[in-house]
Amino acid sequence: CTCHLSLTIRLGMFLYLFTLVFFFLYIYFCVAGVFGATRAEIEQHLEMGRKLLAAGQLAEALSHYHSAVEGDSENYLTYYKRAAVFLALGKSKSALPDLTRAIELKPDFLAARLQRGNILLKQGNTEEARADFESVISPWDPDLRELRAECYVRTGEPQKAIQDLTPTTKLRNDNRAAFLKLSLLHYSLGQHHESLNHVRECLKLDQDDKDCFNHYKQVKKLSKQLDSAEELILEERYQDAIDKYESVMKTESDVTFYTNLAKERICFCFVKLNLVSEAIDVCSEAHQRDPRNAKILRDRAEAYILNQDYEKAVEDYQEAREFDGDSNDIKEGLERAQKLLKVSQKRDYYKILGVSRSANKQEIIKAYRKLAQQWHPDNFQSEAEKKEAEKKFIDIASAKEVLTDPEMRQKFDSGEDPLDPENQQGGGGGQRQWPFHFNPFDSGGSFHFKFEYN
């Protein structure tokens, strides 16, 4: 009997333990199944919930949203979407906790705050509803948007003002005031095409609107001048472009953007015309107006190169790189200016002949003839004078050879001396070479030299 009782107790304890283990395993696998849901599974639940909701199958949609929430308890959107299904089922009390959780996860979630405020208001919780409504500026209220836009204008944030004003043109019927203000804001930022588009919308509503029409005439005139000036630059009609940009400054002298832009582009055009002194003057004025403009510094650097002032060119390019370090033009320009500075510290063929970097072949040959006759060794008596004249004469002939040969001139303009022995393959030695492959002074006696003007 005792053995039978002992066996019964043992069997009971075994069944108890088995049931307990089974229960915990069940709980474990249930939890593991929820928390082990993959992102793809959660997205599938959300997509099915959306489709079923659209089809009006609300109970089935709710089931999928339950699974999505259980699979990702930190996603504010899953709570918000489940709340939407509860509301569609008429269960606003069930929706309220989900909306609250969505707001806890994302405090600036305005849609959830508005929805919760509406529910609280219907429930008579006016104070709590008021707190939600006061935390939201309704995106559908043009008065509030226009008021905030004005605040942005006064705090110097015109782009934010534009973002607030743009929707009000659709939220109000015949909102000409908003179209005009948008046009004025874009105009002040130098966005003349956008400005023109908005003021035209104003005139579509009322072609007799005096304020819009007066502004339209101003914007249209300026926009046409700016577009025309850029077309002239593309056509390489730089002097005509300069004239057009001077007209721009007369048309609009009160908006700094357009005056600065005109100065910047005139600076560019003077450089292209090789009008060195004019370019340096205008570029310097433009730089004072807009010190952080890398394009102005780049153009002035090019003017300094034309003026053979390579140190200043390097300085301007280095400063330009600080403001636009990603520009290939500035990077390449700096490297070229540095090469030219290095070469100029040896021999500068333009300076030897006394011609500008923009001189044509005829001007170069003319300068060569004059200097070659002046420094011909036959013109000097003493040996010391003849030696000095010989050096000068070789430099003059070298300059003529380089600057009248397109390929060698291009190399020199890019910062390489084509006659420098260091740049020659198998070069070596620093002795100055006679450019025409013979030296008429080697005989040490009298000689006759024939100039060749090719």
Side-chain angles (χ1 to χ4, degrees), residues 308-328:
Q308 302 176 38
D309 195 342
Y310 306 120
E311 288 187 10
K312 288 185 178 179
V314 169
E315 289 173 3
D316 270 359
Y317 266 124
Q318 287 175 334
E319 188 176 351
R321 187 176 58 179
E322 294 177 9
F323 302 128
D324 189 0
D326 297 328
S327 170
N328 286 329

Side-chain angles (χ1 to χ4, degrees), residues 390 394 431-444 447 449:
E390 178 186 341
I394 291 174
Q431 184 178 356
R432 184 172 299 177
Q433 301 297 312
W434 178 250
F436 302 115
H437 312 295
F438 74 96
N439 190 336
F441 309 119
D442 280 346
S443 63
F447 60 90
F449 186 86

Side-chain angles (χ1 to χ4, degrees), residues 9-51:
I9 293 171
R10 288 179 182 179
L11 182 62
M13 290 182 66
F14 173 78
L15 290 173
Y16 171 75
L17 290 172
F18 177 81
T19 304
L20 191 64
V21 169
F22 179 80
F23 173 76
F24 280 115
L25 285 173
Y26 174 79
I27 296 297
Y28 170 78
F29 284 115
C30 286
V31 172
V34 170
F35 287 101
T38 65
R39 172 51 54 186
E41 290 171 339
I42 294 169
E43 291 296 332
Q44 187 176 8
H45 282 304
L46 289 171
E47 179 62 19
M48 286 300 299
R50 184 188 65 79
K51 289 181 178 179

Side-chain angles (χ1 to χ4, degrees), residues 251-442:
T251 299
E252 183 52 82
S253 58
D254 295 331
V255 179
T256 304
F257 177 89
Y258 298 110
T259 306
N260 290 354
L261 174 64
K263 290 291 182 182
E264 173 197 322
R265 301 306 278 160
I266 290 172
C267 155
F268 172 81
C269 291
F270 274 136
V271 173
K272 290 296 184 180
L273 289 170
N274 295 320
L275 297 173
V276 179
S277 60
E278 292 89 340
I280 291 174
D281 288 344
V282 174
C283 292
S284 297
E285 182 185 350
H287 177 56
Q288 287 180 344
R289 288 172 168 271
D290 193 1
R292 301 177 64 85
N293 190 321
K295 293 179 181 178
I296 295 171
L297 287 163
R298 176 203 64 193
D299 294 338
R300 189 172 69 171
E302 289 300 312
Y304 281 136
I305 287 175
L306 289 172
N307 203 41
Q308 302 176 38
D309 195 342
Y310 306 120
E311 288 187 10
K312 288 185 178 179
V314 169
E315 289 173 3
D316 270 359
Y317 266 124
Q318 287 175 334
E319 188 176 351
R321 187 176 58 179
E322 294 177 9
F323 302 128
D324 189 0
D326 297 328
S327 170
N328 286 329
D329 285 346
I330 291 172
K331 181 181 178 182
E332 292 169 4
L334 176 58
E335 291 174 356
R336 180 164 47 85
Q338 289 171 333
K339 285 182 180 179
L340 288 168
L341 176 60
K342 183 179 178 180
V343 169
S344 71
Q345 292 168 345
K346 297 179 180 179
R347 284 190 295 180
D348 188 330
Y349 296 122
Y350 290 104
K351 284 186 178 179
I352 289 170
L353 294 183
V355 296
S356 69
R357 297 188 70 86
S358 59
N360 57 37
K361 185 174 181 178
Q362 184 179 0
E363 291 169 331
I364 290 167
I365 292 174
K366 182 179 179 181
Y368 163 72
R369 289 174 180 172
K370 181 179 178 181
L371 291 170
Q373 290 172 350
Q374 177 185 344
W375 288 99
H376 195 287
D378 282 351
N379 297 332
F380 301 89
Q381 300 299 318
S382 71
E383 284 301 316
E385 288 177 333
K386 283 183 179 290
K387 286 286 185 182
E388 182 64 25
E390 178 186 341
K391 291 178 182 178
K392 291 276 189 183
F393 197 89
I394 291 174
D395 280 343
I396 292 164
S398 299
K400 183 254 186 184
E401 181 186 14
V402 170
L403 298 184
T404 56
D405 182 287
E407 185 178 347
M408 286 199 289
R409 183 174 181 178
Q410 184 178 7
K411 285 184 178 180
F412 184 73
D413 286 345
S414 66
E416 176 185 341
D417 185 348
L419 299 182
D420 189 337
E422 293 181 1
N423 295 326
Q424 306 301 319
Q425 289 185 350
Q431 184 178 356
R432 184 172 299 177
Q433 301 297 312
W434 178 250
F436 302 115
H437 312 295
F438 74 96
N439 190 336
F441 309 119
D442 280 346

Side-chain angles (χ1 to χ4, degrees), residues 165-217:
L165 278 174
T166 301
T168 68
T169 60
K170 296 179 180 179
L171 293 172
R172 287 188 193 278
N173 293 325
D174 191 13
N175 198 350
R176 283 172 285 156
F179 278 121
L180 178 57
K181 184 164 282 189
L182 282 167
S183 180
L184 289 166
L185 285 169
H186 282 294
Y187 186 79
S188 68
L189 293 171
Q191 300 163 355
H192 55 98
H193 289 132
E194 291 86 347
S195 177
L196 193 58
N197 290 337
H198 282 298
V199 77
R200 279 174 174 160
E201 291 298 321
C202 175
L203 291 174
K204 284 181 184 178
L205 294 171
D206 184 357
Q207 62 182 1
D208 296 322
D209 188 295
K210 184 177 179 181
D211 292 333
C212 287
F213 184 70
N214 288 339
H215 184 57
Y216 168 74
K217 289 191 296 182

Side-chain angles (χ1 to χ4, degrees), residues 89-241:
L89 289 167
K91 299 179 178 180
S92 58
K93 287 184 179 180
S94 298
L96 199 58
D98 277 354
L99 291 171
T100 299
R101 180 59 180 154
I103 293 167
E104 288 173 355
L105 292 170
K106 186 174 175 58
D108 61 345
F109 191 9
L110 302 184
R113 284 192 177 275
L114 285 171
Q115 198 67 265
R116 188 175 71 174
N118 288 328
I119 294 172
L120 291 169
L121 185 62
K122 289 177 182 178
Q123 291 178 347
N125 297 323
T126 54
E127 289 300 320
E128 294 180 30
R130 180 178 178 179
D132 270 341
F133 290 140
E134 285 182 344
S135 66
V136 178
I137 292 180
S138 173
W140 304 284
D141 190 330
D143 289 329
L144 292 176
R145 280 190 172 274
E146 287 168 357
L147 182 60
R148 188 165 66 176
E150 184 61 30
C151 293
Y152 281 136
V153 170
R154 296 192 182 191
T155 57
E157 299 177 277
Q159 287 291 3
K160 290 184 177 180
I162 289 171
Q163 291 173 5
D164 261 339
L165 278 174
T166 301
T168 68
T169 60
K170 296 179 180 179
L171 293 172
R172 287 188 193 278
N173 293 325
D174 191 13
N175 198 350
R176 283 172 285 156
F179 278 121
L180 178 57
K181 184 164 282 189
L182 282 167
S183 180
L184 289 166
L185 285 169
H186 282 294
Y187 186 79
S188 68
L189 293 171
Q191 300 163 355
H192 55 98
H193 289 132
E194 291 86 347
S195 177
L196 193 58
N197 290 337
H198 282 298
V199 77
R200 279 174 174 160
E201 291 298 321
C202 175
L203 291 174
K204 284 181 184 178
L205 294 171
D206 184 357
Q207 62 182 1
D208 296 322
D209 188 295
K210 184 177 179 181
D211 292 333
C212 287
F213 184 70
N214 288 339
H215 184 57
Y216 168 74
K217 289 191 296 182
Q218 175 74 3
V219 181
K220 184 180 179 182
K221 181 179 179 180
L222 182 73
S223 186
K224 186 176 180 181
Q225 289 174 334
L226 289 168
D227 291 343
S228 176
E230 287 304 305
E231 287 174 8
L232 290 168
I233 288 176
L234 289 174
E235 295 169 5
E236 299 184 0
R237 296 167 57 188
Y238 299 115
Q239 185 57 58
D240 292 335

